[in-house]
Each structure stands twice: as structure tokens, then as C-alpha cells.
Amino acid sequence: MPSTIRVDGVVKRPPPVPLTGSGDVSPEPTGNTNSSTVLPPISPQHELDIKSLALVADNRQVKKFWKPRVASNLGAEITTSLAMSASLAGRQLGLGTIETESTRLFTERFHVHKQKDMKTLSHDQLHEIAGEFFWRIDDIFFFGLLTREIKGKRGRRSLVRFITDDSAATENQGIFRPKEDHIKVWLRDTSGERRRLEQLIATIAHECVHAYLCIFTDYRDPNYEEHVLEHYYHGTMFWELVEFILLIIFLLTRSPLFQWEIKKHRGLSELCASYKREFGPR
């Protein structure tokens, strides 16, 4: 029997794909330029901040108490604002549009995969689809940092490894483990049924926010617990950033299921807030 778990060491960029109605192959986005829309330049301060996060990624080495070799000096409010304003998605919104090459490809690929029957796909096929959206979410929202190739103990690897499990989920639909720097996503729900494409993408986005804030936020910041750690890494900045990402994905795909995911996350956010009001920080 094939393994129920598949792991990627280095997450590779998806191959170029033709856009609908065109026989030409469009180049993959680089994260900096776009053929259809000229994005505003990144501010000097944002550029310095992004370079500092890249340095954190390149020197990532988890030691005792999960303290990295090079720690970020940016608090969660700054890293969250950076993703919402200086990422490809954030800079596009600044122009009043989300119609650029990277986002257009995201939409195109979503509708291509949406036509497929999740129940009949093999684990390898579904792993490739999930891995593609992991890469695209990282490219659009996180400066390509999560899939950045770094030097690991056993050779080159992506900063965050991507794992899929084709067995029935237990409690979690996905999880980010900071000690191992990997995201794991279950392809089936607790009943053993394959999950819908929108559910997989929402879970990937959810876990990417965990990874981004955990790796790139200064754990010495006095507000770190409230912004990141509370409620098992579901702090206030987590809810702000994940809702922003899900809203952009909904605007790109126009799938009503992403509206449901936004409502679900808002409900969980309100639940955490009410718990904190009643019982204090957890």
C-alpha cells in the first residue's frame, strides 16, 4: 500500500501554464515584477524589513526552547502590517486592483483544479495540487519566504517543508510544527471523506500564517504572547492576517465556500476573545 504521508524537501515553483483563451505560456511571477500591472515600488523601510526576514530564514536553526540562531527584531504588528501592505497582494490592493499576473494565475489554477473530482485523485495528484497552492500563497502574501531554499542539516530544503496526510483527520485539519518547521495538511476529514479544494486552500493559508508569525516575529517583543502565542498560537495578529488572506482569496475565486471559511474564522476569533474576557489570557 502507498504511504499515507508525503513530504516535500524543497518546494519547487510550479511550471508555467497557459492562461485560458491563450495559446501562449505566461511566465511565472517573480514576486517583484508583473507584465500586466506595474506595482508601486516597495518603500525603503519595507525593503529593509523584508531583507531582515530573509536573513532570519537563511539562518534558521531551532535550538533549545525553539530559539533561532538569528532572531527577528520585528514585532507581530510590524510583520502583519508588512504582509498586508508590502506583499504582492498588499501592493496590488494599494492600486485598487488584484488583477495582476500572480493573482490571475492563482485564479486560473483554482478553476482548473476545481473541475477535478477530489475523491478520485491519487494522493500524489492531490499532494501536487495542495503543494502548488502552498507555493502560490507564499508568493502572493509572504514574499516567498516560507518556500525559500535554505541549507539544512541534510542538504538543501525549503524553509518550511510541506506534508500531506491522506488518512482521516483526527482533531486538526492542518498543523504547523515550529520545532520541525513543517506544515502538515490532512486531505480527508474526520469521516475519511476527501475535503473540498476550498477547504484545503483555507487550511494551507491558516497554517502559513502560523508559520510566518512564529518564524518571523520577535519572540522577545512584550506583546508577543497577546499577538502570537495566545490560544495555542491564535493571537490577535493571527486572526487579522488570516482574515485578510481569506478575503483576498475569495475576491480572486468568487467561491462562496471561502465566504463560509471567513465566517468560520471570525467565529473562532470571537470565541477566543470572549474566552479571554471571561478567563484571561491562555
Side-chain angles (χ1 to χ4, degrees):
M1 293 180 62
S3 172
T4 59
I5 296 177
R6 179 169 167 181
V7 183
D8 278 341
V10 175
V11 178
K12 297 181 180 179
R13 294 158 60 92
V17 294
L19 297 176
T20 297
S22 171
D24 298 326
V25 174
S26 301
E28 276 294 307
T30 64
N32 296 312
T33 60
N34 190 276
S35 60
S36 58
T37 301
V38 178
L39 295 177
I42 297 176
S43 72
Q45 184 58 56
H46 283 163
E47 190 170 356
L48 287 174
D49 289 342
I50 294 168
K51 286 182 178 179
S52 74
L53 298 186
L55 183 65
V56 171
D58 292 340
N59 291 275
R60 178 73 171 169
Q61 179 177 313
V62 179
K63 293 186 177 182
K64 195 174 182 181
F65 307 120
W66 299 352
K67 293 182 179 179
R69 185 192 305 173
V70 176
S72 170
N73 61 356
L74 303 180
E77 284 185 306
I78 296 177
T79 52
T80 299
S81 175
L82 193 66
M84 294 173 65
S85 59
S87 66
L88 282 174
R91 290 158 67 200
Q92 289 166 22
L93 280 181
L95 291 177
T97 179
I98 51 173
E99 290 298 325
T100 57
E101 192 72 14
S102 296
T103 52
R104 203 145 48 95
L105 279 169
F106 186 102
T107 304
E108 191 76 21
R109 298 301 288 165
F110 170 80
H111 289 294
V112 167
H113 294 311
K114 182 63 178 172
Q115 298 175 19
K116 300 175 181 178
D117 184 355
M118 299 289 108
K119 296 180 181 179
T120 62
L121 295 177
S122 69
H123 183 190
D124 281 353
Q125 289 172 320
L126 199 47
H127 177 88
E128 291 298 325
I129 293 172
E132 177 181 342
F133 283 104
F134 172 50
W135 180 88
R136 293 195 184 281
I137 288 170
D138 184 38
D139 179 56
I140 294 172
F141 297 102
F142 301 112
F143 316 102
L145 290 168
L146 303 182
T147 55
R148 186 180 179 88
E149 189 175 333
I150 66 169
K151 183 178 180 180
K153 293 182 179 179
R154 300 178 181 177
R156 307 296 294 179
R157 67 173 179 88
S158 295
L159 172 65
V160 175
R161 293 180 302 152
F162 186 70
I163 301 173
T164 56
D165 191 323
D166 202 27
S167 61
T170 52
E171 292 184 18
N172 299 312
Q173 297 174 334
I175 191 169
F176 168 67
R177 296 190 183 278
K179 192 172 182 179
E180 292 86 11
D181 282 343
H182 76 235
I183 285 173
K184 182 176 180 179
V185 173
W186 276 263
L187 306 178
R188 298 178 184 271
D189 60 23
T190 53
S191 69
E193 292 293 319
R194 281 278 178 78
R195 299 167 64 206
R196 294 187 178 187
L197 180 60
E198 290 91 341
Q199 293 172 317
L200 289 178
I201 293 174
T203 298
I204 293 167
H206 183 113
E207 301 308 328
C208 282
V209 174
H210 280 312
Y212 176 72
L213 290 177
C214 185
I215 295 173
F216 296 110
T217 295
D218 187 355
Y219 62 86
R220 301 159 298 188
D221 184 88
N223 296 312
Y224 184 73
E225 181 174 352
E226 176 187 354
H227 289 165
V228 179
L229 281 183
E230 278 185 357
H231 308 290
Y232 305 102
Y233 290 94
H234 293 87
T236 54
M237 292 299 102
F238 169 85
W239 295 115
E240 184 173 332
L241 184 51
V242 77
E243 182 169 331
F244 168 80
I245 291 173
L246 291 176
L247 177 59
I248 297 297
I249 292 175
F250 165 68
L251 292 175
L252 290 174
T253 63
R254 297 294 177 178
S255 170
L257 286 177
F258 283 117
Q259 284 184 308
W260 183 86
E261 288 290 342
I262 292 170
K263 291 179 180 178
K264 182 181 76 172
H265 278 77
R266 283 179 181 170
L268 292 171
S269 174
E270 291 168 1
L271 183 63
C272 288
S274 64
Y275 184 96
K276 182 178 179 179
R277 286 192 298 267
E278 186 170 355
F279 301 105
R282 179 180 177 182

